[in-house]
Amino acid sequence: MVKSVSPLRVAALEPLSETSAGEPPGRRGLDALSVGRRIRHHRRARGLTLAQLGEAVGTAQSLLSQVENGKREPRLSLIAAVAEALGTTPADLLDPAPPPNRRAALEIELEQAQRSPLFRSLGLPRVAPSSKLPTEALEALVALHGELARRHDASNATPEEARRANTEIRLLMRAVDNHLPEIEELAEEMVRAAGYTVGALTHRQVARMAQELGFSIIHVDDLPHSTRTVTDLAHGRIYLPPASIPGGHGLRSLALQAIAHRILQHERPASYTQFLRQRLEINYFAAGCLLPRSAAVEFLSAAKADKDLAVEDFRDAFGVTHEAAAHRLTNLLTSHLGIPVHFLRVGDDGALYRGYENDGVPFPQDASGAIEGQPVCREWTARTVFDVRNRTTENYQYTDTPAGTFWCSSQTGSTEHGGFSITVGVPYAHAKWFRGRDTRVRRRSSCPDASCCRRPAAQLEERWADAAWPSARLHAQTLAPLPSGRFPGVDDVEVYEFLTSHAPRPDATGSPG
């Protein structure tokens, strides 16, 4: 049986909610409101009042009222007693399937909407979904809450909100050295159960992990363009592309990310911040499986002892991309080897697309603290590597900055959208552990001082300032809001039509074939 980990509680980055604090691990998925509404449905169907049911099971009417309204989670002993009194079974009352009728479903939706932070922020009085409230009124209230939530999400689905959320998560991860121990343990447990011992995790072992969760992996060539994978929860299928997609996302990694959503019990993200946190978790889990902690730390410790740490060796030992190996180092170097580190993915246009640091390197930031899209100093290794002719191996450089001297290793790659560099660096004092520490390449950076590389030379500015009129390329994404489907960036119509076309067809008995 696969154990589960609640979203980002693994790193204590998010406090427990009121409804889940103190719950036993096996019951965190229990929806108290749904259980309560099922009890109410069966009670009314048998013509019993709360007082009569309370007398039958030896429980106070007030307690049963709290249970039916989802304000209190019933003990299993009470569930059993209520089920017997109502002529049903505990399994029926605890069934995660949809509510028994439309009225119950509407009552649950209204209760859940009125418990949301959005509703509480409005300061409006709560409407009790009592039996006296007409079903038509319930329909209207639920629809209004749905539209309110949709408009709230749309107003927040902006590049500014995305950057704010990304900055918040980056700072939280820096505070824990980019290390999530519980996901590490879970990934290790999963790969060992699938038969992993050493070296690269195989596709067969990934398939076994999916089977353990009741899923089969199916490769298709018509995935919706807005998705990397699609999981059919109804039929236990994970759909993947037929071959690796551009950018280094291998099939193993894609499958592991889809598996991670299930293992970590992710629910549909209610905000862009939650969406990004889930993305971080599934990426972390995939990395923890492809480069399992025990084997990875053993490999890195031996390399450190030999003073021969190298991203390319780490990459080759586990059969992953250079970027995956470099990013995995940020999870392990500080927590297990005591080495502070930074990581950058920089486009050939000089923009920083992804970054992490806990070693004090001065990343470029905007006024909000966001680093994404900011221009990296032209003197940094991540930029100078594009001028190197031999790009087949790692390139090394020392860079003197206002925050100290850093040693860095960079490697370039390319996608259909252009070139990029992957850089891993450490403070000067820790360069002694790495291959390439003897490089004589050294640059000096005074960024964020504009005179370093952002301000043109005086003679060039004098010559061209009034004679140049470039036509700037418009980055349309800076003007467009984020897509507002059930999942950010995903076209719901495409996904649902795709699932319909690939769903198993019923056989002659009416069961899925």
Side-chain angles (χ1 to χ4, degrees):
M1 189 69 179
V2 178
K3 70 177 182 179
S4 61
V5 179
S6 299
L8 273 194
R9 292 176 191 157
V10 292
L13 297 183
E14 191 171 48
L16 293 172
S17 67
E18 293 177 2
T19 57
S20 61
E23 293 178 11
R27 300 187 66 194
R28 284 179 182 164
L30 184 62
D31 184 347
L33 186 56
S34 294
V35 173
R37 286 299 184 265
R38 284 185 176 278
I39 292 175
R40 175 179 291 178
H41 168 77
H42 287 285
R43 176 176 63 78
R44 288 177 175 173
R46 293 185 64 89
L48 296 177
T49 65
L50 276 172
Q52 291 171 328
L53 178 59
E55 183 178 353
V57 299
T59 300
Q61 174 181 341
S62 58
L63 172 61
L64 287 178
S65 177
Q66 288 183 311
V67 169
E68 287 194 355
N69 289 310
K71 295 180 179 179
R72 183 161 182 170
E73 184 178 312
R75 295 181 179 275
L76 289 177
S77 57
L78 178 59
I79 289 288
V82 168
E84 182 178 358
L86 297 178
T88 185
T89 65
D92 184 40
L93 297 181
L94 297 173
D95 192 347
N101 55 39
R102 176 61 177 163
R103 172 78 191 197
L106 289 170
E107 290 180 357
I108 291 174
E109 286 188 63
L110 182 59
E111 285 281 9
Q112 291 175 335
Q114 293 182 142
R115 294 180 183 183
S116 70
L118 173 59
F119 180 77
R120 291 199 299 267
S121 70
L122 299 175
L124 296 174
R126 177 181 169 278
V127 176
S130 67
S131 57
K132 297 180 180 180
L133 188 66
T135 300
E136 294 79 6
L138 263 177
E139 292 272 10
L141 285 170
V142 168
L144 284 172
H145 277 287
E147 179 61 16
L148 178 64
R150 187 195 68 78
R151 295 193 180 197
H152 177 266
D153 290 344
S155 68
N156 282 337
T158 62
E160 290 75 17
E161 172 63 15
R163 290 163 67 81
R164 183 205 63 75
N166 214 42
T167 299
E168 174 188 341
I169 292 173
R170 177 173 58 84
L171 295 177
L172 287 170
M173 291 303 294
R174 183 174 68 183
V176 295
D177 291 328
N178 213 33
H179 186 65
L180 303 179
E182 291 192 32
I183 290 186
E184 294 280 2
E185 294 175 9
L186 184 58
E188 183 99 1
E189 178 182 326
M190 290 289 294
V191 297
R192 297 298 178 187
Y196 174 85
T197 54
V198 69
L201 185 71
T202 67
H203 288 274
R204 177 59 184 153
Q205 288 163 346
V206 174
R208 287 176 185 167
M209 294 170 65
Q211 290 169 2
E212 176 69 17
L213 295 171
F215 288 88
S216 57
I217 294 175
I218 298 177
H219 299 276
V220 295
D221 58 7
D222 61 340
L223 276 173
H225 78 282
S226 60
T227 67
R228 296 188 299 168
T229 69
V230 175
T231 300
D232 182 344
L233 299 176
H235 301 102
R237 294 180 164 193
I238 296 174
Y239 293 102
L240 299 180
S244 296
I245 61 175
H249 299 292
L251 293 179
R252 294 174 303 159
S253 181
L254 288 176
L256 289 167
Q257 290 171 29
I259 289 170
H261 279 304
R262 310 275 61 81
I263 294 175
L264 300 175
Q265 295 186 319
H266 285 166
E267 299 177 352
R268 186 176 74 86
S271 66
Y272 199 75
T273 299
Q274 187 179 2
F275 167 73
L276 290 178
R277 290 188 175 204
Q278 290 181 0
R279 284 291 297 271
L280 181 149
E281 288 185 354
I282 65 173
N283 286 330
Y284 197 109
F285 176 82
C289 291
L290 292 172
L291 301 97
R293 178 185 57 191
S294 295
V297 170
E298 181 180 357
F299 179 90
L300 294 173
S301 297
K304 181 185 178 185
D306 293 337
K307 296 186 177 181
D308 196 31
L309 283 168
V311 180
E312 56 190 1
D313 288 356
F314 193 42
R315 171 198 67 197
D316 296 342
F318 291 90
V320 296
T321 65
H322 197 88
E323 180 173 3
H327 202 274
R328 183 65 171 141
L329 287 176
T330 68
N331 303 143
L332 302 174
L333 282 184
T334 305
S335 58
H336 291 280
L337 275 71
I339 302 175
V341 64
H342 64 265
F343 163 93
L344 302 90
R345 178 182 171 125
V346 175
D348 55 11
D349 60 353
L352 177 57
Y353 288 95
R354 190 176 304 126
Y356 166 79
E357 58 80 23
N358 69 352
D359 61 356
V361 70
F363 278 167
Q365 301 181 8
D366 64 14
S368 68
I371 63 174
E372 292 74 25
Q374 293 299 301
V376 170
C377 178
R378 298 173 190 270
E379 303 301 325
W380 282 20
T381 326
R383 294 286 299 273
T384 62
V385 70
F386 290 112
D387 299 326
V388 176
R389 289 186 178 182
N390 180 15
R391 299 188 185 180
T392 59
T393 61
E394 294 185 66
N395 290 272
Y396 313 109
Q397 175 183 308
Y398 287 99
T399 308
D400 298 320
T401 78
T405 299
F406 295 86
W407 172 92
C408 297
S409 164
S410 289
Q411 176 69 285
T412 59
S414 63
T415 70
E416 60 186 32
H417 303 296
F420 64 93
S421 67
I422 299 297
T423 300
V424 170
V426 297
Y428 179 85
H430 292 274
K432 62 184 178 182
W433 307 116
F434 290 82
R435 182 185 307 161
R437 61 187 176 275
D438 56 352
T439 181
R440 296 186 177 182
V441 179
R442 192 164 190 146
R443 298 289 188 102
R444 180 176 179 80
S445 166
S446 60
C447 278
D449 183 350
S451 64
C452 176
C453 64
R454 300 190 187 189
R455 182 182 301 158
Q459 62 272 26
L460 293 179
E461 185 169 19
E462 182 178 353
R463 179 180 179 183
W464 294 110
D466 296 324
W469 191 288
S471 180
R473 175 184 298 173
L474 177 63
H475 296 283
Q477 68 271 18
T478 63
L479 303 178
L482 299 168
S484 54
R486 286 176 60 83
F487 293 86
V490 172
D491 186 327
D492 289 344
V493 175
E494 272 194 324
V495 171
Y496 299 157
E497 290 180 347
F498 166 83
L499 288 172
T500 300
S501 68
H502 285 275
R505 297 182 181 278
D507 59 21
T509 65
S511 301

